[in-house]
């Protein structure tokens, strides 16, 4: 019963012709993409940042910063390393949220 309703819906959706958008204007520069380049760029930078974040807080990179000394603001280097990356990740999420919601606010 469920399969027949899906195939009926799928057949009507596949038979509709593709209509390309006509509102896109092609001009020189970034404006030809309708403002999508900065969002795409920020998303890619965020993905790259969080991949570096993953490497920085896991083995083997985190073992380079596992010593209890020097103390940074009174906390061991290993803890300061983790806290620093957490704060950087929070800032990156704020930047990403700001770019994603820039047109809605």
């Amino acid at each position: 019963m469920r399969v027949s309703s899906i195939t009926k819906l799928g057949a009507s959706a596949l038979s509709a012709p593709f209509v390309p958008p006509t509102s896109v204007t092609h001009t020189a520069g970034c404006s030809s993409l309708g403002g999508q380049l900065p969002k795409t760029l920020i998303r890619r930078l965020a993905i790259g940042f969080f991949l570096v974040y993953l490497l920085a807080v896991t083995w083997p990179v985190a073992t380079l910063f596992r010593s209890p000394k020097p103390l940074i603001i009174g906390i061991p280097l290993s803890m300061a390393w983790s806290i620093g990356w957490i704060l950087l990740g929070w800032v990156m999420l704020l930047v990403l949220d700001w770019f994603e919601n820039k047109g809605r606010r």
Side-chain angles (χ1 to χ4, degrees), residues 4-39:
S4 64
S5 64
I6 291 173
T7 56
K8 287 179 187 177
L9 177 65
S12 65
L14 291 176
S15 64
F18 173 73
V19 179
T22 57
S23 63
V24 177
T25 58
H26 295 285
T27 59
C30 294
S31 62
S32 66
L33 297 174
Q36 292 299 318
L37 184 61
K39 278 188 179 181

Side-chain angles (χ1 to χ4, degrees), residues 2-69:
R2 183 176 170 94
V3 174
S4 64
S5 64
I6 291 173
T7 56
K8 287 179 187 177
L9 177 65
S12 65
L14 291 176
S15 64
F18 173 73
V19 179
T22 57
S23 63
V24 177
T25 58
H26 295 285
T27 59
C30 294
S31 62
S32 66
L33 297 174
Q36 292 299 318
L37 184 61
K39 278 188 179 181
T40 305
L41 180 65
I42 290 298
R43 287 176 186 162
R44 289 183 181 172
L45 286 174
I47 290 170
F49 170 80
F50 283 109
L51 288 175
V52 171
Y53 183 117
L54 177 69
L55 291 173
V57 297
T58 56
W59 181 85
V61 179
T63 59
L64 299 173
F65 302 95
R66 67 180 179 184
S67 65
K69 299 232 177 181

